[in-house]
Amino acid sequence: MHPSGYDRLQSQVIPGYGSLARLAVALLSSSPAAQVSGSSILVAGCGTGAELLEAIAQRPDWNLTALDPSEEMLTASRQRLGEAPSISWHQATVEGFVAGGEAAGGYAGALSVLVLQSLPDDGSKLAYLSALAKCLQPGAQLVLVDLMRSSLTSLEPQLDAAWDRFQRASGLDVTRELLPSEGLHPIGLARLTSLVNAAGFGDPARVFQALGFEGFLLQRQG
């Protein structure tokens, strides 16, 4: 998808999308490590720059590192931010960034918004979370926002129907049956807990939810 249409489509698909970046940055900014002026913050999968724009607005003192494997998305984000001097740009996955030796566990916090859901649970999710943990100082926090699989199986048909209605009411041009999780790999809370523990984080603390989209605070152990 071209970056110009990404945010518009996401707002039609994801309940509360317009507030996700603001909330994610506010949560991380309130964490003990990232409260410190001049903190280094990692934005994984920066996309079109929504979290970066909000971070500069709320915390202009932060030193930001923006990662995205897509050259197209990274270019769109840089154009949107106007080459802000507080941002270091890298076309890379988090795993590649860590393998390059640039992370060094020096980050006071990280943001991962709508990234983990796109990775299959074949070792890719664990590799991504483990790489994020390696980027963080002990005690630093990660704000993770993703599509999750409901633990309330009896409500799944209603939740799927509500999501369908939400998208239609948001003006999405539907020409075929909606498949809310098409191309994505959501997991349940129990599986997420297992993965983040194996990666080096404590148990996930849910901080918000809108239908199937949930946000968590994770703290780097050690």
Side-chain angles (χ1 to χ4, degrees):
M1 174 184 298
H2 194 276
S4 63
Y6 177 83
D7 289 317
R8 181 181 61 81
L9 179 61
Q10 294 295 70
S11 68
Q12 292 174 306
V13 172
I14 301 173
Y17 178 76
S19 300
L20 276 185
R22 189 182 318 139
L23 182 54
V25 171
L27 284 165
L28 188 61
S29 182
S30 302
S31 69
Q35 282 184 12
V36 178
S37 181
S39 292
S40 294
I41 303 298
L42 180 68
V43 181
C46 67
T48 57
E51 290 81 44
L52 295 167
L53 197 66
E54 192 62 46
I56 287 177
Q58 291 191 35
R59 290 296 301 269
D61 60 292
W62 275 353
N63 295 306
L64 301 166
T65 297
L67 302 182
D68 204 290
S70 167
E71 180 181 3
E72 192 175 30
M73 284 293 189
L74 203 65
T75 297
S77 186
R78 296 183 76 155
Q79 291 174 345
R80 185 177 187 180
L81 272 295
E83 299 294 340
S86 62
I87 303 177
S88 174
W89 304 92
H90 300 267
Q91 185 185 346
T93 62
V94 181
E95 299 92 319
F97 184 66
V98 170
E102 299 184 67
Y107 288 92
L111 298 168
S112 173
V113 179
L114 307 175
V115 179
L116 187 69
Q117 63 189 28
S118 65
L119 303 175
D121 192 11
D122 58 0
S124 300
K125 288 184 186 293
L126 179 58
Y128 174 73
L129 291 166
S130 297
L132 282 172
K134 290 176 182 176
C135 292
L136 297 176
Q137 306 165 4
Q141 291 182 348
L142 164 68
V143 177
L144 180 74
V145 182
D146 274 289
L147 175 66
M148 296 288 291
R149 184 178 298 153
S150 174
S151 59
L152 302 173
T153 55
S154 63
L155 287 180
E156 282 183 2
Q158 182 177 351
L159 293 175
D160 285 347
W163 196 3
D164 180 286
R165 286 180 177 274
F166 172 84
Q167 293 176 75
R168 295 174 189 275
S170 298
L172 195 64
D173 183 14
V174 180
T175 57
R176 59 179 176 82
E177 182 180 0
L178 291 176
L179 298 175
S181 59
E182 184 178 7
L184 302 179
H185 307 275
I187 55 176
L189 180 58
R191 180 57 177 159
L192 177 64
T193 301
S194 176
L195 287 172
V196 300
N197 288 167
F201 292 99
D203 289 349
R206 185 190 286 115
V207 288
F208 63 92
Q209 179 175 359
L211 292 180
F213 292 91
E214 302 183 31
F216 300 91
L217 280 177
L218 307 176
Q219 185 161 311
R220 174 74 168 93
Q221 302 297 290

